[in-house]
PDB file of all heavy atoms in Angstrom:
ATOM      1  N   ASN G 136      25.736  -8.738 -18.646  1.00 97.00           N
ATOM      2  CA  ASN G 136      24.759  -8.260 -19.618  1.00 97.00           C
ATOM      3  C   ASN G 136      25.088  -9.013 -20.987  1.00 97.00           C
ATOM      4  O   ASN G 136      24.226  -9.544 -21.662  1.00 97.00           O
ATOM      5  CB  ASN G 136      24.862  -6.798 -19.726  1.00 97.00           C
ATOM      6  CG  ASN G 136      23.946  -6.222 -20.860  1.00 97.00           C
ATOM      7  OD1 ASN G 136      24.157  -6.506 -22.047  1.00 97.00           O
ATOM      8  ND2 ASN G 136      22.974  -5.412 -20.554  1.00 97.00           N
ATOM      9  N   ALA G 137      26.421  -9.074 -21.306  1.00 97.00           N
ATOM     10  CA  ALA G 137      26.812  -9.685 -22.541  1.00 97.00           C
ATOM     11  C   ALA G 137      26.382 -11.189 -22.583  1.00 97.00           C
ATOM     12  O   ALA G 137      25.875 -11.681 -23.557  1.00 97.00           O
ATOM     13  CB  ALA G 137      28.367  -9.541 -22.698  1.00 97.00           C
ATOM     14  N   LYS G 138      26.567 -11.857 -21.384  1.00 97.00           N
ATOM     15  CA  LYS G 138      26.254 -13.276 -21.317  1.00 97.00           C
ATOM     16  C   LYS G 138      24.742 -13.503 -21.529  1.00 97.00           C
ATOM     17  O   LYS G 138      24.344 -14.403 -22.176  1.00 97.00           O
ATOM     18  CB  LYS G 138      26.639 -13.674 -19.921  1.00 97.00           C
ATOM     19  CG  LYS G 138      27.051 -15.147 -19.799  1.00 97.00           C
ATOM     20  CD  LYS G 138      27.740 -15.352 -18.518  1.00 97.00           C
ATOM     21  CE  LYS G 138      28.018 -16.796 -18.263  1.00 97.00           C
ATOM     22  NZ  LYS G 138      28.663 -17.077 -17.020  1.00 97.00           N
ATOM     23  N   VAL G 139      23.978 -12.609 -20.936  1.00 97.00           N
ATOM     24  CA  VAL G 139      22.439 -12.759 -21.072  1.00 97.00           C
ATOM     25  C   VAL G 139      22.116 -12.561 -22.535  1.00 97.00           C
ATOM     26  O   VAL G 139      21.291 -13.340 -23.084  1.00 97.00           O
ATOM     27  CB  VAL G 139      21.736 -11.732 -20.131  1.00 97.00           C
ATOM     28  CG1 VAL G 139      20.213 -11.688 -20.417  1.00 97.00           C
ATOM     29  CG2 VAL G 139      21.867 -12.114 -18.662  1.00 97.00           C
ATOM     30  N   ARG G 140      22.660 -11.520 -23.164  1.00 97.00           N
ATOM     31  CA  ARG G 140      22.338 -11.328 -24.562  1.00 97.00           C
ATOM     32  C   ARG G 140      22.738 -12.429 -25.492  1.00 97.00           C
ATOM     33  O   ARG G 140      22.046 -12.771 -26.385  1.00 97.00           O
ATOM     34  CB  ARG G 140      22.916  -9.918 -25.065  1.00 97.00           C
ATOM     35  CG  ARG G 140      22.107  -8.751 -24.421  1.00 97.00           C
ATOM     36  CD  ARG G 140      22.621  -7.427 -24.989  1.00 97.00           C
ATOM     37  NE  ARG G 140      23.969  -7.137 -24.572  1.00 97.00           N
ATOM     38  CZ  ARG G 140      25.039  -7.321 -25.363  1.00 97.00           C
ATOM     39  NH1 ARG G 140      24.956  -7.675 -26.561  1.00 97.00           N
ATOM     40  NH2 ARG G 140      26.239  -7.009 -24.840  1.00 97.00           N
ATOM     41  N   GLU G 141      23.922 -12.990 -25.135  1.00 97.00           N
ATOM     42  CA  GLU G 141      24.407 -14.190 -25.915  1.00 97.00           C
ATOM     43  C   GLU G 141      23.460 -15.295 -25.869  1.00 97.00           C
ATOM     44  O   GLU G 141      23.080 -15.922 -26.765  1.00 97.00           O
ATOM     45  CB  GLU G 141      25.736 -14.729 -25.314  1.00 97.00           C
ATOM     46  CG  GLU G 141      26.965 -14.600 -26.087  1.00 97.00           C
ATOM     47  CD  GLU G 141      28.181 -14.914 -25.221  1.00 97.00           C
ATOM     48  OE1 GLU G 141      28.312 -16.015 -24.725  1.00 97.00           O
ATOM     49  OE2 GLU G 141      29.017 -13.900 -25.144  1.00 97.00           O
ATOM     50  N   CYS G 142      22.976 -15.563 -24.601  1.00 97.00           N
ATOM     51  CA  CYS G 142      22.045 -16.666 -24.309  1.00 97.00           C
ATOM     52  C   CYS G 142      20.796 -16.407 -25.115  1.00 97.00           C
ATOM     53  O   CYS G 142      20.235 -17.318 -25.691  1.00 97.00           O
ATOM     54  CB  CYS G 142      21.796 -16.627 -22.822  1.00 97.00           C
ATOM     55  SG  CYS G 142      21.325 -18.104 -22.145  1.00 97.00           S
ATOM     56  N   LEU G 143      20.294 -15.133 -25.041  1.00 97.00           N
ATOM     57  CA  LEU G 143      19.052 -14.797 -25.783  1.00 97.00           C
ATOM     58  C   LEU G 143      19.243 -14.975 -27.261  1.00 97.00           C
ATOM     59  O   LEU G 143      18.378 -15.524 -27.971  1.00 97.00           O
ATOM     60  CB  LEU G 143      18.683 -13.357 -25.484  1.00 97.00           C
ATOM     61  CG  LEU G 143      18.145 -13.135 -24.024  1.00 97.00           C
ATOM     62  CD1 LEU G 143      17.992 -11.651 -23.809  1.00 97.00           C
ATOM     63  CD2 LEU G 143      16.818 -13.844 -23.807  1.00 97.00           C
ATOM     64  N   ALA G 144      20.477 -14.642 -27.840  1.00 97.00           N
ATOM     65  CA  ALA G 144      20.716 -14.769 -29.244  1.00 97.00           C
ATOM     66  C   ALA G 144      20.553 -16.223 -29.617  1.00 97.00           C
ATOM     67  O   ALA G 144      20.056 -16.635 -30.651  1.00 97.00           O
ATOM     68  CB  ALA G 144      22.071 -14.150 -29.545  1.00 97.00           C
ATOM     69  N   GLU G 145      21.136 -17.125 -28.752  1.00 97.00           N
ATOM     70  CA  GLU G 145      21.105 -18.564 -29.029  1.00 97.00           C
ATOM     71  C   GLU G 145      19.683 -19.054 -29.072  1.00 97.00           C
ATOM     72  O   GLU G 145      19.405 -19.958 -29.797  1.00 97.00           O
ATOM     73  CB  GLU G 145      21.835 -19.392 -27.877  1.00 97.00           C
ATOM     74  CG  GLU G 145      23.326 -19.510 -28.156  1.00 97.00           C
ATOM     75  CD  GLU G 145      24.060 -20.087 -26.899  1.00 97.00           C
ATOM     76  OE1 GLU G 145      23.383 -20.863 -26.144  1.00 97.00           O
ATOM     77  OE2 GLU G 145      25.174 -19.726 -26.619  1.00 97.00           O
ATOM     78  N   LEU G 146      18.881 -18.459 -28.325  1.00 96.00           N
ATOM     79  CA  LEU G 146      17.396 -18.753 -28.271  1.00 96.00           C
ATOM     80  C   LEU G 146      16.564 -18.062 -29.359  1.00 96.00           C
ATOM     81  O   LEU G 146      15.403 -18.151 -29.424  1.00 96.00           O
ATOM     82  CB  LEU G 146      16.844 -18.570 -26.950  1.00 96.00           C
ATOM     83  CG  LEU G 146      17.420 -19.319 -25.777  1.00 96.00           C
ATOM     84  CD1 LEU G 146      16.918 -18.794 -24.440  1.00 96.00           C
ATOM     85  CD2 LEU G 146      17.093 -20.775 -25.871  1.00 96.00           C
ATOM     86  N   GLY G 147      17.306 -17.325 -30.161  1.00 96.00           N
ATOM     87  CA  GLY G 147      16.584 -16.642 -31.307  1.00 96.00           C
ATOM     88  C   GLY G 147      16.071 -15.266 -31.045  1.00 96.00           C
ATOM     89  O   GLY G 147      15.339 -14.747 -31.854  1.00 96.00           O
ATOM     90  N   SER G 148      16.489 -14.651 -29.945  1.00 95.00           N
ATOM     91  CA  SER G 148      16.039 -13.272 -29.659  1.00 95.00           C
ATOM     92  C   SER G 148      17.213 -12.324 -29.605  1.00 95.00           C
ATOM     93  O   SER G 148      18.120 -12.520 -28.646  1.00 95.00           O
ATOM     94  CB  SER G 148      15.330 -13.235 -28.248  1.00 95.00           C
ATOM     95  OG  SER G 148      14.207 -14.098 -28.277  1.00 95.00           O
ATOM     96  N   THR G 149      17.266 -11.389 -30.485  1.00 94.00           N
ATOM     97  CA  THR G 149      18.485 -10.515 -30.411  1.00 94.00           C
ATOM     98  C   THR G 149      18.032  -9.263 -29.658  1.00 94.00           C
ATOM     99  O   THR G 149      16.925  -8.747 -29.780  1.00 94.00           O
ATOM    100  CB  THR G 149      18.937 -10.117 -31.890  1.00 94.00           C
ATOM    101  OG1 THR G 149      17.795  -9.730 -32.609  1.00 94.00           O
ATOM    102  CG2 THR G 149      19.724 -11.246 -32.510  1.00 94.00           C
ATOM    103  N   VAL G 150      19.051  -8.770 -28.875  1.00 96.00           N
ATOM    104  CA  VAL G 150      18.859  -7.602 -28.119  1.00 96.00           C
ATOM    105  C   VAL G 150      20.030  -6.723 -28.466  1.00 96.00           C
ATOM    106  O   VAL G 150      21.218  -7.166 -28.559  1.00 96.00           O
ATOM    107  CB  VAL G 150      18.891  -7.869 -26.545  1.00 96.00           C
ATOM    108  CG1 VAL G 150      18.882  -6.616 -25.768  1.00 96.00           C
ATOM    109  CG2 VAL G 150      17.647  -8.766 -26.183  1.00 96.00           C
ATOM    110  N   ARG G 151      19.893  -5.413 -28.728  1.00 97.00           N
ATOM    111  CA  ARG G 151      20.967  -4.437 -29.115  1.00 97.00           C
ATOM    112  C   ARG G 151      22.012  -4.489 -28.013  1.00 97.00           C
ATOM    113  O   ARG G 151      21.759  -4.608 -26.809  1.00 97.00           O
ATOM    114  CB  ARG G 151      20.405  -3.067 -29.266  1.00 97.00           C
ATOM    115  CG  ARG G 151      19.505  -2.890 -30.437  1.00 97.00           C
ATOM    116  CD  ARG G 151      19.164  -1.391 -30.750  1.00 97.00           C
ATOM    117  NE  ARG G 151      18.290  -1.342 -31.916  1.00 97.00           N
ATOM    118  CZ  ARG G 151      17.002  -1.177 -31.686  1.00 97.00           C
ATOM    119  NH1 ARG G 151      16.435  -0.958 -30.629  1.00 97.00           N
ATOM    120  NH2 ARG G 151      16.248  -1.138 -32.858  1.00 97.00           N
ATOM    121  N   ASP G 152      23.283  -4.427 -28.526  1.00 95.00           N
ATOM    122  CA  ASP G 152      24.414  -4.594 -27.549  1.00 95.00           C
ATOM    123  C   ASP G 152      24.547  -3.294 -26.635  1.00 95.00           C
ATOM    124  O   ASP G 152      25.280  -3.361 -25.656  1.00 95.00           O
ATOM    125  CB  ASP G 152      25.694  -4.971 -28.216  1.00 95.00           C
ATOM    126  CG  ASP G 152      26.138  -3.874 -29.236  1.00 95.00           C
ATOM    127  OD1 ASP G 152      25.530  -2.803 -29.234  1.00 95.00           O
ATOM    128  OD2 ASP G 152      27.058  -4.154 -30.025  1.00 95.00           O
ATOM    129  N   ASP G 153      23.795  -2.254 -26.891  1.00 97.00           N
ATOM    130  CA  ASP G 153      23.888  -1.163 -25.881  1.00 97.00           C
ATOM    131  C   ASP G 153      22.590  -1.089 -25.020  1.00 97.00           C
ATOM    132  O   ASP G 153      22.223  -0.052 -24.555  1.00 97.00           O
ATOM    133  CB  ASP G 153      24.090   0.185 -26.669  1.00 97.00           C
ATOM    134  CG  ASP G 153      22.938   0.468 -27.600  1.00 97.00           C
ATOM    135  OD1 ASP G 153      22.124  -0.404 -27.851  1.00 97.00           O
ATOM    136  OD2 ASP G 153      22.970   1.620 -28.233  1.00 97.00           O
ATOM    137  N   ALA G 154      21.988  -2.261 -24.846  1.00 97.00           N
ATOM    138  CA  ALA G 154      20.727  -2.290 -24.079  1.00 97.00           C
ATOM    139  C   ALA G 154      20.994  -2.715 -22.621  1.00 97.00           C
ATOM    140  O   ALA G 154      21.805  -3.624 -22.413  1.00 97.00           O
ATOM    141  CB  ALA G 154      19.673  -3.246 -24.668  1.00 97.00           C
ATOM    142  N   GLY G 155      20.342  -2.149 -21.678  1.00 96.00           N
ATOM    143  CA  GLY G 155      20.190  -2.621 -20.300  1.00 96.00           C
ATOM    144  C   GLY G 155      19.089  -3.670 -20.382  1.00 96.00           C
ATOM    145  O   GLY G 155      18.119  -3.571 -21.216  1.00 96.00           O
ATOM    146  N   VAL G 156      19.088  -4.726 -19.527  1.00 96.00           N
ATOM    147  CA  VAL G 156      18.124  -5.787 -19.545  1.00 96.00           C
ATOM    148  C   VAL G 156      17.570  -5.964 -18.133  1.00 96.00           C
ATOM    149  O   VAL G 156      18.266  -6.145 -17.157  1.00 96.00           O
ATOM    150  CB  VAL G 156      18.741  -7.114 -20.076  1.00 96.00           C
ATOM    151  CG1 VAL G 156      17.728  -8.195 -20.066  1.00 96.00           C
ATOM    152  CG2 VAL G 156      19.354  -6.899 -21.432  1.00 96.00           C
ATOM    153  N   SER G 157      16.221  -6.006 -18.001  1.00 95.00           N
ATOM    154  CA  SER G 157      15.545  -6.400 -16.832  1.00 95.00           C
ATOM    155  C   SER G 157      14.623  -7.544 -17.140  1.00 95.00           C
ATOM    156  O   SER G 157      13.994  -7.648 -18.197  1.00 95.00           O
ATOM    157  CB  SER G 157      14.678  -5.186 -16.341  1.00 95.00           C
ATOM    158  OG  SER G 157      15.420  -4.111 -15.995  1.00 95.00           O
ATOM    159  N   ILE G 158      14.649  -8.462 -16.156  1.00 96.00           N
ATOM    160  CA  ILE G 158      13.839  -9.708 -16.380  1.00 96.00           C
ATOM    161  C   ILE G 158      12.597  -9.654 -15.654  1.00 96.00           C
ATOM    162  O   ILE G 158      12.455  -9.242 -14.543  1.00 96.00           O
ATOM    163  CB  ILE G 158      14.613 -10.943 -15.926  1.00 96.00           C
ATOM    164  CG1 ILE G 158      16.027 -11.064 -16.636  1.00 96.00           C
ATOM    165  CG2 ILE G 158      13.889 -12.219 -16.058  1.00 96.00           C
ATOM    166  CD1 ILE G 158      16.046 -11.522 -18.011  1.00 96.00           C
ATOM    167  N   LYS G 159      11.461 -10.191 -16.258  1.00 97.00           N
ATOM    168  CA  LYS G 159      10.096 -10.162 -15.650  1.00 97.00           C
ATOM    169  C   LYS G 159       9.618 -11.533 -15.297  1.00 97.00           C
ATOM    170  O   LYS G 159       9.028 -12.163 -16.098  1.00 97.00           O
ATOM    171  CB  LYS G 159       9.145  -9.418 -16.661  1.00 97.00           C
ATOM    172  CG  LYS G 159       7.740  -9.629 -16.266  1.00 97.00           C
ATOM    173  CD  LYS G 159       6.857  -8.648 -17.144  1.00 97.00           C
ATOM    174  CE  LYS G 159       5.385  -9.050 -16.973  1.00 97.00           C
ATOM    175  NZ  LYS G 159       4.504  -7.873 -16.993  1.00 97.00           N
ATOM    176  N   PRO G 160       9.909 -12.088 -14.110  1.00 98.00           N
ATOM    177  CA  PRO G 160       9.351 -13.349 -13.668  1.00 98.00           C
ATOM    178  C   PRO G 160       8.013 -13.200 -13.091  1.00 98.00           C
ATOM    179  O   PRO G 160       7.732 -12.422 -12.207  1.00 98.00           O
ATOM    180  CB  PRO G 160      10.329 -13.874 -12.663  1.00 98.00           C
ATOM    181  CG  PRO G 160      10.952 -12.600 -12.074  1.00 98.00           C
ATOM    182  CD  PRO G 160      10.759 -11.463 -12.938  1.00 98.00           C
ATOM    183  N   ILE G 161       7.047 -14.041 -13.592  1.00 98.00           N
ATOM    184  CA  ILE G 161       5.704 -14.157 -12.977  1.00 98.00           C
ATOM    185  C   ILE G 161       5.454 -15.687 -12.868  1.00 98.00           C
ATOM    186  O   ILE G 161       5.401 -16.421 -13.894  1.00 98.00           O
ATOM    187  CB  ILE G 161       4.658 -13.451 -13.796  1.00 98.00           C
ATOM    188  CG1 ILE G 161       4.887 -11.974 -13.735  1.00 98.00           C
ATOM    189  CG2 ILE G 161       3.223 -13.807 -13.369  1.00 98.00           C
ATOM    190  CD1 ILE G 161       3.746 -11.023 -14.071  1.00 98.00           C
ATOM    191  N   SER G 162       5.255 -16.142 -11.661  1.00 98.00           N
ATOM    192  CA  SER G 162       5.116 -17.634 -11.507  1.00 98.00           C
ATOM    193  C   SER G 162       3.648 -18.005 -11.129  1.00 98.00           C
ATOM    194  O   SER G 162       2.833 -17.155 -10.711  1.00 98.00           O
ATOM    195  CB  SER G 162       6.038 -18.047 -10.297  1.00 98.00           C
ATOM    196  OG  SER G 162       5.492 -17.533  -9.106  1.00 98.00           O
ATOM    197  N   VAL G 163       3.347 -19.272 -11.298  1.00 98.00           N
ATOM    198  CA  VAL G 163       2.094 -19.798 -10.876  1.00 98.00           C
ATOM    199  C   VAL G 163       1.893 -19.577  -9.395  1.00 98.00           C
ATOM    200  O   VAL G 163       0.867 -19.133  -8.973  1.00 98.00           O
ATOM    201  CB  VAL G 163       1.970 -21.318 -11.282  1.00 98.00           C
ATOM    202  CG1 VAL G 163       0.748 -21.900 -10.603  1.00 98.00           C
ATOM    203  CG2 VAL G 163       2.024 -21.531 -12.832  1.00 98.00           C
ATOM    204  N   PHE G 164       2.947 -19.948  -8.634  1.00 98.00           N
ATOM    205  CA  PHE G 164       2.840 -19.797  -7.185  1.00 98.00           C
ATOM    206  C   PHE G 164       2.535 -18.371  -6.752  1.00 98.00           C
ATOM    207  O   PHE G 164       1.617 -18.117  -5.993  1.00 98.00           O
ATOM    208  CB  PHE G 164       4.221 -20.263  -6.490  1.00 98.00           C
ATOM    209  CG  PHE G 164       4.356 -20.026  -5.023  1.00 98.00           C
ATOM    210  CD1 PHE G 164       3.809 -20.941  -4.202  1.00 98.00           C
ATOM    211  CD2 PHE G 164       4.960 -18.932  -4.566  1.00 98.00           C
ATOM    212  CE1 PHE G 164       3.877 -20.732  -2.803  1.00 98.00           C
ATOM    213  CE2 PHE G 164       5.092 -18.649  -3.190  1.00 98.00           C
ATOM    214  CZ  PHE G 164       4.485 -19.564  -2.278  1.00 98.00           C
ATOM    215  N   GLY G 165       3.281 -17.423  -7.262  1.00 98.00           N
ATOM    216  CA  GLY G 165       3.115 -15.961  -6.905  1.00 98.00           C
ATOM    217  C   GLY G 165       1.706 -15.470  -7.375  1.00 98.00           C
ATOM    218  O   GLY G 165       1.149 -14.706  -6.684  1.00 98.00           O
TER     219      GLY G 165
END
Side-chain angles (χ1 to χ4, degrees):
N136 175 296
K138 212 166 172 182
V139 170
R140 284 185 296 100
E141 242 169 64
C142 209
L143 289 171
E145 272 171 32
L146 296 170
S148 300
T149 47
V150 173
R151 291 192 182 97
D152 59 11
D153 60 353
V156 177
S157 297
I158 305 281
K159 170 173 168 139
I161 290 199
S162 69
V163 171
F164 175 81

